[in-house]
Amino acid sequence: IEKIYLYPQLVERGGVINLNINVSEGREVSAYISDMIGQTSPLQVNIGDNILKAPNVSGTYIINVVISGGETKTIKIMVK
């Protein structure tokens, strides 16, 4: 069972975002953050708990977590 949790989804500029990735042993994960004009940057993530820094620019962002095997989880966050 693959479970991915991200909180909070409404965060201050430069604030802390918690990303928890629980996937089966041996699976690989990667993550990317995109703004609404399509600029995408990779995020450094591992299986388990990850602490990410929110962007310094207010707006809506999409975080995509990609699990080996082609599964993708998409989460929207808002930076105020």
Side-chain angles (χ1 to χ4, degrees), residues 45-62:
V45 297
N46 296 301
I47 293 172
D49 292 323
N50 297 273
I51 296 176
L52 309 174
K53 182 180 175 202
N56 289 318
V57 178
S58 297
T60 301
Y61 294 83
I62 302 295

Side-chain angles (χ1 to χ4, degrees), residues 37-75:
I37 59 171
Q39 293 178 318
T40 301
S41 300
L43 297 170
Q44 294 289 333
V45 297
N46 296 301
I47 293 172
D49 292 323
N50 297 273
I51 296 176
L52 309 174
K53 182 180 175 202
N56 289 318
V57 178
S58 297
T60 301
Y61 294 83
I62 302 295
I63 294 179
N64 287 303
V65 179
V66 181
I67 304 166
S68 60
E71 297 175 63
T72 301
K73 169 95 175 194
T74 301
I75 305 165

Side-chain angles (χ1 to χ4, degrees), residues 24-35:
S24 306
E25 284 291 321
R27 307 282 304 264
E28 293 184 19
V29 296
S30 57
Y32 304 89
I33 186 167
S34 303
D35 62 20

